[in-house]
Amino acid sequence: GAGVSQSPSNKVTEKGKDVELRCDPISGHTALYWYRQSLGQGLEFLIYFQGNSAPDKSGLPSDRFSAERTGGSVSTLTIQRTQQEDSAVYLCASTLGGQPLTRYFGPGTRLLVL
Amino acid sequence: AQSVTQLDSHVSVSEGTPVLLRCNYSSSYSPSLFWYVQHPNKGLQLLLKYTSAATLVKGINGFEAEFKKSETSFHLTKPSAHMSDAAEYFCVVSSYFISNSGGSNYKLTFGKGTLLTVNP
């Protein structure tokens, strides 16, 4: 595709429910990142996948958050037992090998937990 | 450790007047610095980046930024604002690190963003 795509674009859920957010990176990009952007805050790093290496999960805020990347392409971020403070925009980015400094970002998923 | 401070959460200018979005950083190593722009309902887009070459960096849409090591600043400027420049702008610092899994990565630290409004 032409860029990083994310789905859904918007998600409203009730407190306590689980949600899954999907990211399709640019074809051929080996690295994939998830970030969270809360209102009035900068972007917060969540998790990083690089090829077949074990992911860097150092940014995940709690064990309710997990992510997978299947086949080195599509990634799913799962939030279990959502809380109101999870409301944010979740951004995915991918990187072409050899250009590690330039992230290509998706449009984000706006999550609202009621 | 590294950090980014965007000094203004909101900047308002008139169309045709100059734009200045301020950013200060701290980094233990020689940093790479970036400005990203995010238009409403759009993804983040890279405006420009500094990676230890020329200190004055030119980006897309007429924006430029100057890396000043003595002032630890990387302010974003544009001579004449256009209505289409209205967006949120993020200053970003990057440094190289070894991840928990033993791999390597460039860690990005984002500022909190500056909302630019352009008045007709």
Side-chain angles (χ1 to χ4, degrees):
Chain A
V4 179
S5 61
Q6 292 185 243
S7 61
S9 55
N10 292 282
K11 177 71 177 179
V12 180
T13 190
E14 294 178 347
K15 178 182 174 181
K17 296 284 182 67
D18 298 351
V19 294
E20 284 190 353
L21 313 179
R22 177 187 168 104
C23 172
D24 283 272
I26 294 173
S27 178
H29 279 196
T30 58
L32 186 147
Y33 306 79
W34 282 98
Y35 296 88
R36 178 170 68 175
Q37 184 180 7
S38 302
L39 186 65
Q41 303 295 319
L43 271 78
E44 174 188 13
F45 166 76
L46 296 178
I47 189 169
Y48 158 63
F49 296 90
Q50 171 62 62
N52 295 322
S53 301
D56 179 354
K57 305 179 181 180
S58 60
L60 294 178
S62 77
D63 59 8
R64 296 186 295 104
F65 288 72
S66 63
E68 292 184 342
R69 188 178 185 193
T70 55
S73 181
V74 172
S75 177
T76 302
L77 177 69
T78 301
I79 309 173
Q80 296 178 309
R81 305 180 303 281
T82 53
Q83 303 295 311
Q84 289 182 332
E85 60 264 28
D86 299 334
S87 297
V89 176
Y90 289 83
L91 287 157
C92 175
S94 68
T95 300
L96 180 64
Q99 296 187 19
L101 300 184
T102 302
R103 286 1 180 224
Y104 296 85
F105 285 84
T109 293
R110 286 156 185 76
L111 175 65
L112 177 61
V113 182
L114 301 176
Chain B
Q2 60 187 25
S3 66
V4 177
T5 302
Q6 291 185 242
L7 298 166
D8 307 292
S9 59
H10 185 202
V11 170
S12 181
V13 300
S14 298
E15 190 174 21
T17 64
V19 176
L20 170 63
L21 305 183
R22 298 183 295 167
C23 173
N24 286 96
Y25 70 91
S26 68
S27 177
S28 302
Y29 305 100
S30 297
S32 295
L33 293 156
F34 309 77
W35 276 97
Y36 281 87
V37 60
Q38 186 174 22
H39 291 273
N41 299 316
K42 299 285 188 182
L44 284 161
Q45 180 184 19
L46 180 65
L47 269 182
L48 49 82
K49 63 181 178 182
Y50 164 78
T51 55
S52 77
T55 57
L56 181 62
V57 181
K58 295 187 183 298
I60 62 172
N61 300 335
F63 283 93
E64 62 182 36
E66 186 172 8
F67 173 71
K68 293 186 176 180
K69 186 175 181 179
S70 61
E71 299 177 8
T72 60
S73 69
F74 191 58
H75 302 333
L76 182 69
T77 61
K78 183 173 180 178
S80 176
H82 191 272
M83 296 296 290
S84 62
D85 295 329
E88 190 161 22
Y89 292 79
F90 292 90
C91 182
V92 182
V93 63
S94 174
S95 62
Y96 184 80
F97 79 105
I98 304 297
S99 69
N100 293 338
S101 61
S104 59
N105 187 21
Y106 288 87
K107 180 176 182 178
L108 298 184
T109 301
F110 288 77
K112 292 186 177 182
T114 298
L115 181 64
L116 175 66
T117 58
V118 182
N119 304 307

